[in-house]
Amino acid sequence: MNLIERQLQNAVNKLVAWCSNNGYAVSPEKSRCVHFCRKRNLHLDPVIHIQHVAIPVVDDIRFLGVIFDRKLTFLPHILHLWKRCERSLNILKVLSKTSWGADRTSLLRIYQAVILSRIDCGCMVYGSAGAAETKRALFYRLI
């Protein structure tokens, strides 16, 4: 772990130097670190510094709309996605009333634009989550 930590620190130092040479700035306050590991606390989290400020280690982080957790189970992302889609489905239920609601093609287009687009975004990444993680997400959501 010490070797990995030194290599990460060297890479961060080179990145900060490149950014400062090219007119960019890296903010240590906005930076976060996630230690991805499926093992059970066998080693400590790395301590990485930007400009002599330690980067905090967090359990999960959002990157390009996908929430990555430290065990790469994607459980927080699936739960967040479920919550967002559930709100949209409730709106679709209101719009689908038989007496005054929208027609079938309009509802299908709204579904594709609002719900299906959220599910498709990043599905190649969190699609690697096993069936056990998905079942666990559904179980936590039902509680």
Side-chain angles (χ1 to χ4, degrees), residues 69-106:
D69 60 314
R70 66 175 40 229
K71 300 282 185 189
L72 293 175
T73 61
F74 297 100
L75 182 64
H77 179 75
I78 294 170
L79 291 174
H80 177 73
L81 187 62
W82 180 310
K83 187 185 300 183
R84 288 186 67 197
C85 289
E86 191 174 42
R87 283 188 223 141
S88 300
L89 278 173
N90 287 338
I91 293 171
L92 271 178
K93 286 178 188 176
V94 170
L95 290 175
S96 65
K97 295 293 182 187
T98 56
S99 60
W100 58 270
D103 62 335
R104 185 182 184 105
T105 57
S106 298

Side-chain angles (χ1 to χ4, degrees), residues 21 33 87 99 102-104 124 136 142:
N21 289 337
C33 176
R87 283 188 223 141
S99 60
D103 62 335
R104 185 182 184 105
M124 296 305 287
R136 192 176 314 127
L142 294 175

